[in-house]
């Protein structure tokens, strides 16, 4: 029997035509090197900000170009009303919809109609207020023309940028499907019949797959859940959809969720097997032929939240490094004078998505006694620690070089502390001592964190110590806010500097 026919017959409910591989966009490989895809709300929000800036800037510029003197109080009122009306009209006409940003021709007509309606409304408003005098009408005419030109120019530039991002794959979400049974096959058929530019199915994963099957409905079978976790760690998957039966005795579904909860990825379950009549809570109905999906797990930082965290880290780290540079210079000189060896101690630790990063610290141990893998954690009166090192560790000053890690994008100022690879508690490796330990790697590690300011810093002599740390780390990930970070930073400065638990 020919191999292709044998393979087709070995996979239930899969036709011979469906064993042909689905084409992979060329841009996909490029996108994988550039992180997670841009969130639609970030793109449309940025476009809205550009529109608002164009309307305000041209309104102010028109006041300088208009003949005569515009009544200042009325000018400000009309400007604010025009901004509000314009933003609402642009939204109402759908001029900022993501699908209309791919091609200029799709979005320019709604944009022009929105601004024409806004200008007409302002004319009616001035007429009702009895303010239809030459200075005001001159300003409104100039503003209308300038704003329309600025909005069109901004939209053309936006469409060009969005098109570039789309070709580079930055708008495409890499989706992995778990399940090769009837549920998975139905979902894949619907995806194959309804291709979308913002979604690419990278493959299918199933621990119970047929060992010799290579394709499922034309999509490659790439292995089991452990293989999927590897793909996630390598940044090749943004979203996972479970296409598995919803029976009470389906242990495979629970096992899949348990494993995927350790990784920074969105996880949903296909409800193609369930008839849904309305949207409620976490239920999300598909559009058109799209199957409904129930969101189960979410990446802790997406969209504007991810941007806010990044801006917070980079801005604060830059400011703090400038402020503490004299202190860091003095510490560097003191370390060099006290003992031989490098100023900085570099240690491999697990960071975001369980990737290894090199964390910087001021050297606090004698160089010949340094423990790069943290086989033995520091203890009270540890002979490996220098006299200066005791002060640095007690006051957390040895952590200051990690602001460089923050600027490099490897760490955050606040987050779960990165642990050394061989760190132990009660004789057990941290990963063996705590269930779901790797879930703390769903966010970048931090210089300080909720666990540290809550008293769980320093030696982990018992399993309870690391359990409490992980509990606080997971609580931080689930409840993250910028204000919460600022509170932790303040608590670090005021209450954690002279902690008794650091040796």
């Amino acid at each position: 029997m020919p191999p292709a026919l044998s393979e087709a017959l070995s996979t239930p409910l899969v036709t011979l035509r469906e064993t042909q591989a689905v084409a992979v966009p060329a841009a996909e490989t490029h996108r994988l090197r550039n992180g997670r895809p841009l969130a639609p709300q970030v793109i449309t929000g940025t476009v809205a900000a550009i529109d608002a800036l164009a309307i305000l800037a041209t309104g102010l510029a028109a006041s300088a170009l208009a003949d005569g003197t515009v009544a200042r109080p009325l000018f400000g009122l009309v400007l604010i009303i025009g901004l509000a009306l314009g933003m609402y009209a642009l939204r109402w006409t759908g001029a900022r919809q993501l699908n209309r940003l791919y091609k200029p021709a799709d979005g320019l007509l709604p944009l022009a109609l929105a601004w024409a309606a806004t200008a007409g409304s302002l004319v009616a408003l001035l007429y009702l207020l009895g303010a239809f005098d030459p200075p005001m009408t001159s300003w409104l005419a100039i503003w209308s023309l300038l704003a329309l030109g600025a909005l069109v120019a901004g939209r053309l530039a936006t469409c060009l940028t969005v098109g570039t991002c789309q070709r580079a794959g930055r708008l495409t979400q890499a989706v992995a499907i778990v399940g090769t049974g009837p549920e998975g096959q139905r979902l894949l058929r619907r995806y194959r019949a309804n291709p979308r530019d913002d979604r690419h199915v990278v493959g299918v994963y199933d621990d119970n797959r047929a060992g010799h099957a290579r394709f499922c409905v034309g999509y490659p079978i790439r292995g089991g859940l452990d293989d999927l976790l590897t793909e996630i760690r390598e940044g090749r998957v943004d979203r996972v959809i479970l296409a598995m039966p919803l029976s009470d005795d389906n242990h495979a579904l629970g096992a899949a969720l348990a494993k995927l909860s350790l990784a920074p990825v969105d996880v949903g379950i296909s409800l193609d097997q369930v008839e849904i009549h309305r949207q409620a809570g976490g239920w999300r109905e598909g559009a058109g032929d799209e199957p409904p999906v129930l969101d189960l797990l979410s990446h802790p930082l997406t969209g504007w939240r991810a941007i806010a965290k990044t801006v917070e880290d980079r801005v604060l780290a830059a400011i703090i490094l400038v402020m503490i540079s004299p202190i860091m210079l003095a510490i560097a000189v003191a370390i060099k004078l006290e003992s031989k060896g490098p100023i900085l101690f570099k240690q491999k630790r697990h960071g975001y998505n369980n990737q290894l990063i090199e964390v910087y610290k001021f050297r606090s141990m004698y160089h010949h006694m340094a423990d790069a893998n943290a086989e033995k954690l520091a203890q009270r009166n540890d002979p490996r620690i220098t006299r200066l090192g005791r002060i640095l560790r007690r006051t957390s000053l040895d952590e200051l070089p990690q602001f460089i890690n923050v600027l490099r994008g490897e760490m955050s100022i606040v987050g779960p502390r990165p642990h050394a690879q061989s760190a132990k508690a009660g004789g057990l490796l941290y990963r063996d001592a705590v269930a779901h330990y790797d879930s703390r790697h769903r966010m970048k590690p931090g210089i300080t964190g909720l666990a540290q300011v809550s008293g769980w810093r320093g030696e982990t002599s018992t399993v309870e110590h690391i359990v409490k740390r992980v509990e606080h780390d997971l609580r931080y990930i689930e409840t993250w806010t910028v204000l919460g970070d600022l509170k932790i930073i303040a608590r670090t400065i005021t209450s954690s500097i002279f902690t008794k638990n650091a040796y």
Side-chain angles (χ1 to χ4, degrees), residues 341-361:
I343 294 171
L344 294 179
F345 174 69
K346 302 177 183 179
Q347 188 177 61
K348 295 286 186 181
R349 298 193 177 190
H350 288 288
Y352 172 72
N353 205 7
N354 219 32
Q355 299 296 314
L356 285 178
I357 60 173
E358 196 170 57
V359 175
Y360 301 146
K361 299 178 70 172

Side-chain angles (χ1 to χ4, degrees), residues 320-350:
I320 291 172
L321 273 174
V322 172
M323 294 174 60
I324 66 176
S325 55
I327 299 175
M328 293 182 66
L329 178 60
I331 292 174
V333 173
I335 291 173
K336 205 65 179 174
L337 292 176
E338 184 189 31
S339 61
K340 295 181 180 179
I343 294 171
L344 294 179
F345 174 69
K346 302 177 183 179
Q347 188 177 61
K348 295 286 186 181
R349 298 193 177 190
H350 288 288

Side-chain angles (χ1 to χ4, degrees), residues 243-258:
M244 309 169 74
L246 296 176
S247 58
D248 294 335
D249 59 346
N250 185 8
H251 302 294
L253 179 59
L257 281 174

Side-chain angles (χ1 to χ4, degrees), residues 349-351 357 359 402 411 416-420 437 440 445-447:
R349 298 193 177 190
H350 288 288
I357 60 173
V359 175
Q402 287 170 32
M411 292 180 62
R417 281 294 297 158
H419 295 149
Y437 171 80
R440 65 195 302 277
I447 299 175

Side-chain angles (χ1 to χ4, degrees), residues 97-152:
Q97 290 180 0
L98 187 60
N99 61 338
R100 287 179 169 167
L101 298 177
Y102 295 141
K103 298 179 181 179
D106 293 341
L108 292 184
L109 180 58
L111 183 147
L113 291 175
W115 187 245
T118 301
S121 299
L122 292 178
V123 169
L125 176 65
L126 291 178
Y127 181 79
L128 292 174
L129 293 176
F132 212 66
D133 53 22
M136 184 62 72
T137 54
S138 176
W139 166 69
L140 182 57
I142 296 174
W143 182 26
S144 299
L145 293 174
L146 289 179
L148 180 60
L151 287 170
V152 170

Side-chain angles (χ1 to χ4, degrees), residues 286-304:
D289 292 332
E290 288 292 296
V293 173
L294 173 63
D295 293 326
L296 300 177
L297 301 172
S298 298
H299 191 288
L301 292 178
T302 57
W304 290 111

Side-chain angles (χ1 to χ4, degrees), residues 41 67 81 85 153 169 302 333 393 497 499:
Q41 62 267 33
D67 295 332
I81 293 176
L85 288 176
T302 57
V333 173
R393 295 169 76 95
I497 292 180
T499 178

